[in-house]
Amino acid sequence: MNIPSVDYVELVSRFAINLVSMVVLNFAIYYARYKHKETAISAALFNIFTFAVLSVLSILEFSLAAGFGLFAILALFTLRSEPISKSDIAYFFGSISIAVVCAIKGTSMLFVMLMILLMLVAVYIIDHPEILKSVNQATVRFDAIPEGFMSEPSVLKSALSQRLGVEVLSYRILSVCYVTEVIQVEVDYRFQ
């Protein structure tokens, strides 16, 4: 049996870059901004596990098609688990992406470090609280169904603004239940 040789120094170096980058993304940026401990820990663990699996598979000359299959399997988790926010999904995917970039052999360490640095800087800037500070988002269960809310969206918008005491910029209806007279709405708002 032909056992492939492993450059352990490179493996440990790649893992160290992965670990530091993942900690910066999940704890210094994500957790510091959102305070979702479970998501930060889950993303960190997924990163470590993904790095380990991809490191083994890259030694065994794992095909690109099989790699996409791995991502498809990971995508199924979002279909079978509790719903998480779009920003949580983005950070989760970012954590996995860091593991992929670090684990795949054949790229220089300088290239890996540059890609990771660019990703972290981009995340820090794009999701900086000062950039979109004037708009907030919340999910609201509204205990009244205004007449004509579907045909005239401004009816629900003004009812939400009045009830919440904020300027509702936009909303998205998540569910409507005529039995309990409840509408669940995701609201983008600004303080008046």
Side-chain angles (χ1 to χ4, degrees):
M1 184 170 152
N2 187 13
I3 299 173
S5 66
V6 178
D7 182 350
Y8 293 106
V9 173
E10 181 182 357
L11 178 65
V12 170
S13 299
R14 285 177 180 272
F15 184 72
I17 293 168
N18 175 65
L19 192 61
V20 168
S21 305
M22 177 271 295
V23 167
V24 169
L25 178 70
N26 290 320
F27 297 101
I29 298 175
Y30 174 78
Y31 184 76
R33 292 180 183 169
Y34 296 99
K35 305 291 188 234
H36 297 161
K37 177 182 173 185
E38 274 189 32
T39 304
I41 291 171
S42 297
L45 293 176
F46 252 88
N47 169 280
I48 291 168
F49 300 148
T50 303
F51 180 89
V53 168
L54 289 175
S55 293
V56 170
L57 294 176
S58 70
I59 291 170
L60 301 175
E61 297 180 15
F62 193 59
S63 73
L64 186 61
F68 282 117
L70 179 65
F71 269 98
I73 291 168
L74 292 173
L76 290 176
F77 283 112
T78 61
L79 299 174
R80 306 293 285 161
S81 59
E82 67 182 52
I84 60 175
S85 73
K86 293 172 187 77
S87 59
D88 288 355
I89 290 171
Y91 276 95
F92 205 87
F93 184 75
S95 186
I96 293 169
S97 298
I98 286 172
V100 171
V101 168
C102 290
I104 300 298
K105 289 174 69 173
T107 54
S108 73
M109 296 298 280
L110 181 61
F111 179 75
V112 168
M113 289 187 291
L114 181 62
M115 287 304 300
I116 298 297
L117 179 65
L118 291 173
M119 287 182 355
L120 292 175
V121 167
V123 167
Y124 181 80
I125 292 169
I126 290 168
D127 191 36
H128 197 281
E130 291 297 315
I131 291 177
L132 298 174
K133 67 180 178 180
S134 63
V135 178
N136 296 298
Q137 189 177 65
T139 301
V140 176
R141 289 177 53 121
F142 194 61
D143 63 352
I145 300 178
E147 285 200 32
F149 77 97
M150 293 292 269
S151 59
E152 295 180 48
S154 62
V155 170
L156 182 57
K157 187 176 177 181
S158 83
L160 286 165
S161 291
Q162 183 180 5
R163 176 66 73 85
L164 299 173
V166 295
E167 177 190 357
V168 173
L169 303 171
S170 65
Y171 65 88
R172 185 171 65 104
I173 298 173
L174 302 175
S175 66
V176 178
C177 181
Y178 280 102
V179 175
T180 58
E181 293 287 317
V182 171
I183 299 177
Q184 188 166 356
V185 184
E186 186 177 82
V187 180
D188 294 313
Y189 65 93
R190 179 175 26 225
F191 294 106
Q192 296 175 340

